[in-house]
Structures are given as structure tokens and as C-alpha cells.
Amino acid sequence: MARNVIESPSRALSEYVILPGYTGKGTGPETVSMSAPLVAYREGEEPRIRLKRSLMSAAMQAVTGPALAIALAQQGGLGVIYCSQPIDAQAGMVRDVKRFKGGFVVPEVFSPESRIYEVIERRNRRGYSTFPVTEDGTPGGRLLGLVTKNDFDDEYHREKTVRERMIPAEGLYTVRELEVGGDLRAADRMLRESHHGSLIVVDDEGRLRYMVFKKDIRQHMDNPHEMVDGKKRYMVGAAFNTRDFTERVPEVMREEPDVLFTDTSQGFTKYVAEAVRYVKDHYDVPVIGGNVVTKEGFEFLAGLGVDGVKVGMGPGSICITIEQTGVGRGQGTAIGEVCRARDDFRSKNSRYVPVIADGGVVVAKDITVAYALGADAVMMGRYFVGCDESNSPIVSSRRQRRSVKLYWGEGSEKARAWREGRYNQSDFPEGVVSEVDLAGPLKEHMMETLYKVEGGMRKAGCMSIGELHEKAVLQVHSMLSVREAGAHDVAVVSDDDNPGDRK
Ligand code: IMP
């Protein structure tokens, strides 16, 4: 006989509804806050990281590369760069995010002896078309010139050196670091007066410091929720696994990610304990542990001193772990139990350990319900993968005549191929490859969702995630209530008459 058999079912997120609460006068969407702590803090202290909008993107090959992490940080959330790739590639992705300094960019550079075909190759790979040239080819070297897409012909100049085609420094519009300071508004004023599309900032010795691009300034000023670190660079997380952490973490940490995440569906293990201890012993960086779905799992991770706990085993949209192994839990029940354990831990230890709901959070109402059940943040893959900025390319659907993005699980055969036999792998897949609809630019996709989440919070009478934790009342609803909740007993006419998606 098992140690315990729980006869009440484990619940999915979509089995819960939030009951309405009292909504006072003068409350509008702008008064609702989706901010929450991401990392642990002692009672009376401020957490080291507080998300302005508590959404995170999953550490998955298909989802979080630099473009998505930057776009999400601009909107107040956090992207987590996946570790199912070579170590230098992951470190490079973290570096790419950290280059963006809320409008000030540490650009990629060339040395004067580089060849134009190298510039072409980098331009095609990265999508940038403006590269400063420094004496020694490093980003902090003495500025010699600038090479842009207008300075060479892809065919005729391929073999030329960069020195032969660049605009020399004397002909460039540069400003001293002291003149701009870290002030984007000052940079914006200078750019407006200059007729140029970008500003090159150098120090007193003529060494390159930053570039400021007109288009980035606009972007920055339009995004008051940006998540930036003490040096005004965008925040980003990085995942690490329990196998190569002694090699991976040092190299990735050189790029200064803001927070690390263990990357395993079963976080209640001796391997996770070893990996977390290693990071805690060597680095001053917050570590989020996971994944767990039980009180015991939470207590184990909190006892290791992790700075946050990720919840979810089995609920992911591309996940077949439970189907394959019989192990896991409904995400609603898992979040509820772990958050109760978190609250008990706080009462006993005066330390608040944030909980992140990871997997099965797909549409706006899932986010609100996850917060109400106690989660401080949600991590999503399916939700972000359709965005223009996701790491998945647009392809033609194999099933219908239209464009889609591929979404594959980290445990799918496709994701596991990168390891090239280097690691022992389980003998069976725990994830699938799928197609999802395109969702357009992240900002617009997210805005629509935020309106719905904020609308839900107001109906529940709660103006913040913290208030949801204190005041929300949830109820399990039956399959018939789920049916009743959608349009029913009518034939819905057409998409034109019912604009807006249900996400
Ligand atoms: P989604 O947002 O419902 O698509 O779930 C994303 C989450 O699923 C990720 O953050 C992981 O925790 C989990 N996940 C990713 N790949 C796999 C897989 O192949 N099998 C099981 N779970 C996965």
C-alpha cells in the first residue's frame, strides 16, 4: 500500500473561478498593480528584484532568446535564457540582452583589419547594420571609425578590409561621455539636433563607451515599466542544469545575469541540492529552485536557501510527463499546496520565498487564477512562443495553408538533439513538437492580456497581487460550469462580428 492515497482529485488551473469581491469607486486599470517580488526577502526588507509586471518567459529553445528577453524586460517582465544549448551560446545570449542599457547600447565592433565579408556575415546573423571600428577590435577600444550598410557593396567589397571602407572617426558625430552622463533625455536632445540616426559616446581618451540609436530612445521612452539593473541594463535570467553547472555557471555568470534558475521538472533531488549549493557558495546571485508540486518539495528547496520556488510538473502545454510516467500533479492543486507551505515557512522563519507558477498558464484568466491561488509570478512558454520576438522561426504549417511558429518541449526529441550524445538522456520523450498561431509583437500581445488580468483583479476587488493573496475567494467549478462560462446554446456568427481573441 502506498504511504498515502489522496482521494480528492488534483485540479487543473482552469477548474477554479474567482468569486467577485467589492470594487470601490474610482478604481480603474491604471490603479491595479501587477508588481510582485521575484526573489526572497526577510520581513521588513525590500526584495532584491521586484517584477513590475509579474510575467516570465520559459527557459526553452523555442521561446526565450535575446529578442524576447529584451522585449519582455521592456514591458516589466523577465525572460529566462535556456540552457539546452552550448555554454558559450547561452552566455552570448545573456550578453546580447545586457548590451541594452535602457537605450544605451554597448555595440558589437570590428577591428580595422577585419574583412567586409565578416561584417556581411555578422549583419545577416544579427540583423544589425551599424558597427563601430576600434583599434583592437574590443568594445572598449579606441574608436577608429564606423562601418554601416551604406559603406560597402556585398559583392564588390567582400574581400576589402574594414579600414578601407569605414568612415574614419574624424568624420563621425561623437560626444563625450561626460556630456551625456547616463541621461537619455540629453542623448535624445543631441540626436534631434544632429540629423544623425545614432550617437557614438566616447570617453576622454577617445575610447568607445556606448551608442544610442534614435529608434531605441523612442522605445525606451514609451516603456515606463522597463526592468533594468543598477547599471540601467535590461534584466535577464539564465537557466542551468544539474549536470554541467560547474562549467556552465562560471561562464554564464561572467555576463552578469540577474537571477539563475535550476532547469528540471523534478527539483526535489540531491542533484538540485548540489547544484544550488555550488552556486550559493561561489556567487552572489539569486537562485530560483524547482520544479516542485508538493509541500515537502517546497520545504526541501526553501531549506537549501533558494530565493524562489518554481511549481509545475506535468501541466505544460507541450508536456507529456504525466502521460509517460504517471508522475506529476494538476497545476491548480500544486500551486495551492506549495503557496500554503510558503506562507507557513514565512510565519516560522520571517522569510518570504516567492512562488512561480510554471506550466499550464496559457490565457489571461489562468494568470489571474494562479496569482489568486498564491503565485507571485507566472512563467509561460505557449503564451509567448507565437510572438514575433520568440526564438522560434515562422514556418509554413504542415497541417493548414498558413504561417505558424513551431513550439517544442525541452523534453522533445527535437530539443534534446543539441546534446549530441554528450549526456545520458532518458530513453523516452517527455514533450512534443507542435504548431501555434502567430501572435504579433509581444507588446501588443501582452497589453491585451494585461487589460484582462487587471479587469479580473478589479472584479475580484483586489488592486494588487498581494491583495489577491489576502482577499481572493476561489471555488472549483464543474465541467458544466466550464461549459456555461463560454458562449453556449447559440451559433456564434463570425470572427468579424466578434473581434478580439480569447487570450
Ligand atoms: P506552457 O507555458 O504551458 O507551454 O509550459 C511551459 C513549461 O513547460 C516550461 O516552463 C517547463 O516548465 C515545461 N516544459 C518545457 N518543455 C517540457 C517538456 O518537454 N516536457 C515537460 N514539460 C516541459
Side-chain angles (χ1 to χ4, degrees):
M1 175 65 191
R3 173 162 63 92
N4 191 11
V5 179
I6 303 168
E7 295 291 353
S8 55
S10 117
R11 306 273 182 196
L13 269 180
S14 52
E15 286 181 83
Y16 291 88
V17 277
I18 307 169
L19 304 190
Y22 175 70
T23 309
K25 226 176 162 183
T27 48
E30 68 289 349
T31 57
V32 177
S33 161
M34 280 180 63
S35 169
L38 175 64
V39 299
Y41 61 95
R42 299 223 143 262
E43 217 73 58
E45 288 176 2
E46 255 303 294
R48 195 157 141 187
I49 305 177
R50 174 180 277 281
L51 294 177
K52 293 190 181 154
R53 286 168 168 160
S54 211
L55 308 180
M56 289 193 282
S57 66
M60 297 173 70
Q61 292 172 0
V63 181
T64 313
L68 191 100
I70 291 168
L72 186 50
Q74 286 171 339
Q75 297 311 319
L78 186 93
V80 184
I81 304 286
Y82 58 97
C83 60
S84 55
Q85 60 177 324
I87 296 172
D88 57 344
Q90 187 189 15
M93 287 190 173
V94 174
R95 189 181 320 132
D96 281 350
V97 181
K98 284 293 173 189
R99 272 177 200 285
F100 280 81
K101 198 188 170 196
F104 290 84
V105 181
V106 181
E108 292 200 22
V109 298
F110 281 94
S111 90
E113 308 321 323
S114 304
R115 300 283 168 164
I116 292 297
Y117 62 76
E118 296 173 65
V119 180
I120 295 172
E121 200 261 331
R122 186 105 55 97
R123 179 201 64 195
N124 293 346
R125 192 154 41 91
R126 304 294 228 178
Y128 314 143
S129 55
T130 304
F131 299 96
V133 183
T134 59
E135 198 164 50
D136 58 0
T138 68
R142 201 167 66 80
L143 182 73
L144 292 187
L146 189 74
V147 61
T148 74
K149 62 175 188 293
N150 303 326
D151 299 320
F152 56 82
D153 182 277
D154 281 22
E155 271 176 43
Y156 294 122
H157 301 127
R158 280 186 72 76
E159 300 300 326
K160 296 269 185 216
T161 62
V162 165
R163 189 192 296 279
E164 288 172 284
R165 299 303 313 167
M166 72 185 187
I167 312 164
E170 305 79 66
L172 292 175
Y173 177 55
T174 59
V175 297
R176 302 265 151 183
E177 201 175 6
L178 276 179
E179 293 173 63
V180 255
D183 183 359
L184 258 199
R185 282 178 199 283
D188 188 37
R189 275 195 303 276
M190 289 178 194
L191 266 175
R192 275 175 213 244
E193 297 304 323
S194 77
H195 309 277
H196 290 81
S198 61
L199 197 68
I200 306 176
V201 184
V202 292
D203 69 9
D204 282 346
E205 266 85 60
R207 284 185 299 244
L208 178 66
R209 300 290 296 145
Y210 308 111
M211 286 193 72
V212 183
F213 292 92
K214 241 180 202 161
K215 63 175 187 353
D216 289 343
I217 291 206
R218 294 278 154 273
Q219 180 78 274
H220 181 75
M221 292 188 169
D222 287 350
N223 295 317
H225 293 282
E226 284 189 333
M227 288 297 297
V228 291
D229 65 16
K231 297 181 188 165
K232 297 195 187 138
R233 304 173 305 178
Y234 288 136
M235 286 198 169
V236 64
F240 64 100
N241 59 52
T242 55
R243 291 172 302 266
D244 65 8
F245 58 90
T246 54
E247 297 157 54
R248 183 175 296 272
V249 171
E251 195 163 332
V252 170
M253 278 305 292
R254 245 173 253 137
E255 307 303 336
E256 303 182 25
D258 299 276
V259 47
L260 296 185
F261 292 74
T262 61
D263 189 48
T264 165
S265 61
Q266 159 61 323
F268 190 7
T269 66
K270 154 173 155 298
Y271 307 105
V272 165
E274 282 169 11
V276 168
R277 262 191 218 114
Y278 170 84
V279 179
K280 287 272 164 206
D281 285 351
H282 291 83
Y283 299 95
D284 175 29
V285 65
V287 183
I288 310 291
N291 284 13
V292 294
V293 292
T294 60
K295 175 175 182 283
E296 290 82 1
F298 173 87
E299 286 167 351
F300 169 75
L301 290 177
L304 294 175
V306 297
D307 299 275
V309 168
K310 212 144 61 71
V311 176
M313 188 178 197
S317 58
I318 34 52
C319 174
I320 52 172
T321 301
I322 298 182
E323 207 172 83
Q324 294 276 60
T325 67
V327 182
R329 199 170 208 185
Q331 185 66 322
T333 303
I335 297 170
E337 180 169 312
V338 170
C339 290
R340 262 190 300 280
R342 186 243 354 247
D343 293 344
D344 288 347
F345 185 87
R346 175 198 210 164
S347 312
K348 287 190 201 126
N349 301 280
S350 305
R351 186 168 190 261
Y352 187 79
V353 182
V355 167
I356 298 154
D358 173 22
V361 184
V362 178
V363 293
K365 72 179 173 61
D366 301 335
I367 299 174
T368 322
V369 169
Y371 291 155
L373 283 169
D376 297 277
V378 294
M379 175 175 268
M380 302 182 286
R382 165 67 186 88
Y383 174 80
F384 285 114
V385 71
C387 295
D388 293 348
E389 297 89 342
S390 85
N391 213 35
S392 177
I394 295 178
V395 296
S396 302
S397 168
R398 278 200 243 156
R399 294 146 31 94
Q400 289 157 351
R401 290 169 67 91
R402 61 200 174 101
S403 297
V404 292
K405 285 208 175 202
L406 286 185
Y407 182 36
W408 62 96
E410 289 293 291
S412 66
E413 293 296 353
K414 181 173 169 65
R416 298 190 307 161
W418 80 274
R419 285 180 193 144
E420 296 150 352
R422 186 166 159 203
Y423 296 108
N424 294 332
Q425 299 169 4
S426 60
D427 297 326
F428 54 89
E430 290 189 37
V432 298
V433 181
S434 65
E435 291 179 353
V436 301
D437 286 340
L438 305 183
L442 177 139
K443 184 173 179 180
E444 283 160 34
H445 185 55
M446 210 167 126
M447 281 309 135
E448 190 163 342
T449 306
L450 292 182
Y451 275 118
K452 292 178 190 173
V453 175
E454 289 166 351
M457 285 168 69
R458 267 184 294 128
K459 285 187 205 301
C462 298
M463 294 297 121
S464 66
I465 295 174
E467 246 181 74
L468 273 176
H469 290 181
E470 279 168 31
K471 299 196 333 204
V473 179
L474 292 122
Q475 184 165 17
V476 171
H477 62 166
S478 68
M479 279 316 288
L480 284 178
S481 324
V482 174
R483 179 177 173 273
E484 189 181 67
H488 60 90
D489 298 310
V490 293
V492 175
V493 203
S494 74
D495 288 349
D496 291 345
D497 292 311
N498 297 290
D501 64 21
R502 306 252 161 100
K503 294 191 177 132

